[in-house]
Amino acid sequence: MIDQETRNRIIALIHEEVVPAIGCTEPMCVALCTARATELLGQRPERIDAWLSGNIIKNAMGVGIPGTGMTGLPIAMALGALIGKSEYQLEVLKDLTPEALEDGKRYLEEGRIHIYLKEHITEKLYAEVTCHAGDRQATAVIAGGHTRFIEQPINQPISPISPINPTSPTSPIPLNMRLVYDFATTAPLDEISFIEEARHYNMNAAREALKGNYGHNLGKTIDRPLSKGIFGNSIYSHIIARTASACDARMGGAMIPVMSNSGSGNQGICATNPVCVYAKENENTREELIRALMLSHLTAIYIKQSLGKLSALCGCVVASIGSSVGITYLMGGDYEHVCRSVKNMIANLTGMICDGAKPSCSLKITSGVSTAVLSALLSMEGKCVSSNEGIVDECVDRSIHNLTSIGANGMGPTDDMVLSIMTGKSC
C-alpha cells in the first residue's frame, strides 16, 4: 500500500484540481480576476481593461454565460465587477439575479469594458484585469491555473508561473500510471469517498439538461426514439446521452454547477458521467464506483501535468482516457488492462484540436466517450495497439508523454491558426 504521506499529497492534488464550477472555466476565470480587481479597487469600476492570452480568448468567445442567455467575455466581466466575489472561486457569479443581469447589460452598453490580446508571453492561461475609477486603479492577475493569482503583470516570456496562493504550500506530486492505479485501487475508502461529489454534481447536470433546450440538444437527441432505433436502448447509448446532456447544459449557459477537472468542467463531466452510468447499469458496488471515479479523475490529472491547463489538444481526449480506464476497472480489469485501454485511446483520438469552448463541445465529448467504451472493450478482449504503430510505446507512461508532447509542443502553430480563424470570421 502507498504510504500515508504520499496519499496525503495525492489527495491534496485532487482537492486542488477537482472543484465545483459554474459555466465555462475560461470566462469564469476572467470574471474571477475582474471580481478581485474590483475588490482591490474598493468601488464600482468606471472602466475595465483586460489583457488575455490567446487560449483564454479562444475558449471564451462562443460559450454561454450561465443565467444570462448571452455568450462571451464582456457580460462575464461586467457581472464579475458588479456581483462577483473572489472567495467563490470558479462559482464567482453564483449570486446572479435578474436585477444584476439588467445592471450588467447597461454596464456593457455604456462601453466600459475593453479586451486585448496579451502578446509576447508563453503562458497559455493568463488573465490580467485592471479596474479604473477616477485617478485610482487596481490590477489582478491570474496565470498558470484558473484560480491562481500571481503578484504582478508579466511583461516578458514566462515559464513557469510561480503561484502566490497560500493554499498550495508544496509542489504537486509527480504522477505515473502505476501510482495512479495503485492509489485509486488500494487507498482506504474513507480517504477517497469524497470523489462521489463529482457524481452528485455532474449527473445532476445531466438531469437538469433535460428540463430545457441547451446547446445543440445532443443528449436529448440521443435519447429520442429515432436515435434509439439506431443506437439501441443500451448502456452505450445511455453513457453518451448522459455525458452529452451535461455538456449541452454547461455550454448552453445553464445555471448549473459541475465538478471540474484540471480547470475544465467538460473534462470533469467526461471523467465522471460515463463511469457513473456504466457502474449503475453494470450493478457495480459503491466501493467499485468510488475507486473507478478516482482512477478516472486522477488519470486525467496525471495527463494534464505534462500537457498543461490549456493546449491545442481537445480536453475530451484527456478526460476520455480517464473514463476509459475507469470503465475498464468496472469491467473487472487490472493494471495491465488499464494500460491497454490508455494505449488504445492514444492510438485513436490523438490530434483532435481544441477550437474553443462552445455548444458543439458535446459532439467532441460524444466522440471521446464512444472511443472510451470501445477501447475498454478491446482491452478486456486482450487487444492492444502495439508499439510498432504510430506514437504508442511499449511503456504506457511514454505513450502518454508522446501524446502530451504533441499537444503541448507540436500543435502550437495549430493553436495560432485556430485563433486566427476564429477571430477573423465575419460573424
Side-chain angles (χ1 to χ4, degrees):
M1 181 177 287
I2 300 170
D3 65 84
Q4 186 67 58
E5 181 183 353
T6 300
R7 296 205 308 272
N8 288 343
R9 291 184 67 191
I10 294 174
I11 289 168
L13 174 63
I14 297 164
H15 280 303
E16 182 177 341
E17 299 292 358
V18 181
V19 297
I22 295 178
C24 177
T25 48
E26 275 70 54
M28 291 307 106
C29 165
V30 181
L32 172 63
C33 197
T34 305
R36 182 59 181 151
T38 301
E39 291 164 357
L40 293 172
L41 185 67
Q43 66 185 93
R44 183 181 176 122
E46 297 171 0
R47 173 190 171 101
I48 303 174
D49 295 322
W51 288 266
L52 310 173
S53 62
N55 284 75
I56 288 280
I57 293 174
K58 181 182 74 173
N59 278 358
M61 284 177 60
V63 70
I65 305 303
T68 68
M70 302 171 68
T71 61
L73 282 166
I75 188 63
M77 290 176 59
L79 295 174
L82 300 177
I83 55 99
K85 292 183 175 64
S86 63
E87 65 191 78
Y88 292 165
Q89 300 284 283
L90 292 178
E91 295 181 284
V92 59
L93 301 184
K94 70 179 182 180
D95 288 343
L96 178 63
T97 63
E99 293 75 22
L101 177 57
E102 291 307 310
D103 193 16
K105 291 178 179 178
R106 286 192 294 271
Y107 197 83
L108 289 184
E109 292 170 358
E110 292 165 358
R112 299 181 182 275
I113 291 177
H114 306 269
I115 299 171
Y116 310 95
L117 174 66
K118 181 76 173 183
E119 300 186 272
H120 309 302
I121 59 170
T122 57
E123 176 55 54
K124 292 181 179 295
L125 199 166
Y126 184 89
E128 174 187 329
V129 177
T130 299
C131 293
H132 304 264
D135 59 355
R136 298 180 62 248
Q137 68 180 47
T139 299
V141 184
I142 289 176
H146 290 79
T147 61
R148 186 173 295 166
F149 288 94
I150 64 171
E151 291 178 333
Q152 60 187 7
I154 302 297
N155 295 313
Q156 65 275 338
I158 49 173
S159 183
I161 291 294
S162 298
I164 63 167
N165 286 11
T167 54
S168 301
T170 60
S171 59
I173 183 169
L175 299 172
N176 58 66
M177 201 63 223
R178 181 83 242 189
L179 180 59
V180 167
Y181 179 84
D182 287 347
F183 173 82
T185 57
T186 66
L189 198 63
D190 62 340
E191 292 185 9
I192 62 173
S193 58
F194 65 86
I195 200 68
E196 280 190 294
E197 279 192 281
R199 175 174 68 87
H200 298 316
Y201 273 91
N202 295 346
M203 291 301 290
N204 181 63
R207 287 188 291 270
E208 289 295 316
L210 302 180
K211 300 176 182 179
N213 290 314
Y214 297 104
H216 298 294
N217 281 325
L218 181 57
K220 293 175 77 171
T221 298
I222 295 168
D223 263 340
R224 287 175 179 149
L226 177 60
S227 298
K228 287 181 179 177
I230 297 170
F231 294 112
N233 189 15
S234 62
I235 297 177
Y236 169 75
S237 66
H238 299 164
I239 285 174
I240 59 176
R242 300 299 168 266
T243 309
S245 289
C247 181
D248 284 334
R250 179 174 176 267
M251 294 289 95
M255 198 68 175
I256 301 171
V258 302
M259 190 67 80
S260 65
N261 181 297
S262 304
S264 168
N266 282 351
Q267 285 172 197
I269 290 167
C270 196
T272 302
N273 290 20
V275 176
C276 292
V277 174
Y278 186 89
K280 180 180 179 181
E281 303 211 15
N282 194 50
E283 299 182 351
N284 289 99
T285 66
R286 173 176 176 262
E287 177 175 348
E288 288 169 338
L289 172 59
I290 289 171
R291 295 193 183 282
L293 282 173
M294 184 57 70
L295 182 56
S296 177
H297 277 272
L298 194 55
T299 297
I301 292 169
Y302 164 40
I303 297 172
K304 294 293 282 188
Q305 281 187 332
S306 55
L307 180 63
K309 296 291 185 184
L310 299 178
S311 75
L313 189 70
C314 179
C316 87
V317 176
V318 175
S320 295
I321 294 173
S323 61
S324 186
V325 302
I327 291 171
T328 301
Y329 173 80
L330 293 173
M331 288 177 171
D334 59 15
Y335 178 67
E336 292 305 320
H337 290 103
V338 162
C339 291
R340 288 201 291 260
S341 293
V342 172
K343 293 177 185 180
N344 291 338
M345 291 293 292
I346 291 172
N348 192 325
L349 286 182
T350 297
M352 182 183 287
I353 66 166
C354 170
D355 55 344
K358 59 211 175 298
S360 61
C361 283
S362 59
L363 290 166
K364 293 188 176 185
I365 278 185
T366 297
S367 297
V369 172
S370 299
T371 305
V373 177
L374 176 61
S375 295
L377 282 171
L378 283 174
S379 174
M380 295 305 294
E381 289 289 325
K383 305 297 183 183
C384 179
V385 174
S386 74
S387 58
N388 295 324
E389 302 175 65
I391 67 167
V392 172
D393 195 286
E394 190 66 31
C395 170
V396 67
D397 294 297
R398 285 199 294 268
S399 296
I400 287 171
H401 286 284
N402 291 343
L403 167 72
T404 59
S405 293
I406 290 171
N409 304 316
M411 295 176 69
T414 301
D415 228 7
D416 295 337
M417 179 169 288
V418 168
L419 180 62
S420 176
I421 291 170
M422 291 175 64
T423 56
K425 291 190 292 187
S426 60
C427 59

